[in-house]
Structure formats: C-alpha cells, structure tokens
Amino acid sequence: ILNVEQSPQSLHVQEGDSTNFTCSFPSSNFYALHWYRWETAKSPEALFVMTLNGDEKKKGRISATLNTKEGYSYLYIKGSQPEDSATYLCASARGSYKLIFGSGTRLLVRP
Amino acid sequence: GAVVSQHPSRVICKSGTSVKIECRSLDFQATTMFWYRQFPKQSLMLMATSNEGSKATYEQGVEKDKFLINHASLTLSTLTVTSAHPEDSSFYICSARDSDSGLVYEQFFGPGTRLTVL
C-alpha cells in the first residue's frame, strides 16, 4: 500500500447501531496514526494518536485499534448517536510530522 | 485549549488578484504550522510546512512563488495565493503543532478557508 486508504467512503446507520471503519496505510517508515473527527464548518478534532503496534485507545463510545505490521487501523463507534455524524479522517505520519491523509469515511446516523 | 483560528472562512476573488489567509494558534505557541489543500472528493494534501523565523518547506509540485508563506511569529502563519486563477479554487486548511507539548505528533487544525476564484 502506497497511500492511506479509508473504507467505506460513506456509511448510513440507524441510531443505536454500532459501526466500524478501516484505515489502511503503508507499514514502512511508520511513525504514528491519527484519527480525526470532522464536522461540517468546524475544525477537524483529534480523536486518537496511536504509535505502538497492538495499541488500543478509547474515548467514550469511540475506540480504535492499530496494527503497524500489516498497516491497518479500525475505528469503532458503539451505539451510534446522531451527533456522531461527521467525516472521520485517518492520517499516517511517516518519518516526520508530515501527515498523509485518507479521503475519509462520511458517517450519517439517522435518528 | 489548543485552538487554531483561520481567517477568512470564505473568499471570492477575481482572477489575477492575490489572497491572504491567516492561521493563528490562539492559546499555544506553534513553531511549526502546516498548510493543506483539499479539492472536491479528495484527501487533504500537504502543501508546505511553515517554520517560525525561517523559510517554509514546500511539497513536490507546489509552487513556492505562487503560494507565499510567512511565519513571522509563534502564533501566526499566513498563506498568500498570488495572482490567483480559477484552478486555485479549493479548500485551504492549516494546522499547528504545540511547541511545548510532549506529544510531538499532534496537530491542531483550523476550520479552513474556501477560496473561489472567478
């Protein structure tokens, strides 16, 4: 994998459903993996910065895992709420502060 | 904490004019700021890394004479799009690293600027 890829591109779920998305990134020269939550007309909000293989992080109903050897990270949202509707971006930091972003997963949670 | 502002949020200009976009870290000092651009349905793409008191580092394919970056203080970086043309129409967004933070990888983003060149 040469680029950062996210799937799915968009996702519509019902309130209360749990969901997850994937971020794939180059495993060579890995420094850190970032997850951001981006609501329309607002600044992207940092969710997690993950650096260690096997790392798992949690913030409320949102959690993320990291596999640096195979180059993927999963973001999980438990019991989705309408306020979780946003675009979720992942970015790989390779060898420096330089972030390479995926194109995001747009989540819409229906009430 | 860790708030980054960007101004203006939206600008429409005529072809050939120059447009300045400001990025400010409001509650922290940032020796390094970053400028990204996003075209419709594409990823955020890093344009340049702005270093306080020194020249910016531009990514391959980004014209430094076209996109002038000035980082004259620890809380302000500016991006000037010179002689803008319709193909420069895009979403420009900045981020900043907290110089005093031990979390070297964290970047805090502004809300972005939508530039439309007529």
Side-chain angles (χ1 to χ4, degrees), chain B:
Chain B
V3 178
V4 176
S5 71
Q6 211 173 316
H7 179 80
S9 58
R10 189 179 294 268
V11 57
I12 300 172
C13 69
K14 291 183 180 179
S15 188
T17 60
S18 294
V19 174
K20 182 187 280 189
I21 303 169
E22 293 186 350
C23 178
R24 291 181 187 273
S25 56
L26 297 185
D27 50 4
F28 64 98
Q29 293 186 329
T31 52
T32 307
M33 291 185 171
F34 304 88
W35 287 97
Y36 295 83
R37 179 169 54 182
Q38 185 184 38
F39 291 110
K41 299 193 178 181
Q42 294 187 24
S43 314
L44 293 176
M45 295 292 292
L46 180 65
M47 297 174 66
T49 302
S50 168
N51 301 296
E52 188 265 337
S54 65
K55 290 183 180 179
T57 305
Y58 290 82
E59 294 301 300
Q60 193 172 12
V62 178
E63 298 174 59
K64 62 180 182 184
D65 296 330
K66 173 77 169 173
F67 299 100
L68 300 180
I69 290 172
N70 184 284
H71 192 157
S73 80
L74 286 171
T75 59
L76 174 65
S77 175
T78 60
L79 170 70
T80 301
V81 184
T82 61
S83 186
H85 287 98
E87 58 265 31
D88 298 323
S89 298
S90 188
F91 184 77
Y92 294 86
I93 189 169
C94 69
S95 70
R97 280 188 58 242
D98 184 343
S99 306
D100 296 326
S101 170
L103 300 172
V104 296
Y105 306 116
E106 271 197 312
Q107 291 185 25
F108 301 100
F109 281 83
T113 297
R114 173 75 58 193
L115 170 64
T116 303
V117 185
L118 303 176

Side-chain angles (χ1 to χ4, degrees), chain A residues 55-104:
Chain A
D55 218 358
E56 287 190 37
K57 293 210 172 181
K58 189 175 180 183
K59 185 187 266 190
R61 293 178 292 99
I62 305 177
S63 60
T65 61
L66 179 68
N67 183 321
T68 61
K69 292 184 179 178
E70 295 181 38
Y72 64 83
S73 175
Y74 294 134
L75 187 80
Y76 301 90
I77 302 179
K78 186 177 177 183
S80 302
Q81 299 297 308
E83 57 264 30
D84 295 329
S85 298
T87 296
Y88 291 82
L89 298 175
C90 75
S92 173
R94 301 186 65 202
S96 67
Y97 312 127
K98 190 186 299 188
L99 296 184
I100 301 169
F101 279 87
S103 51

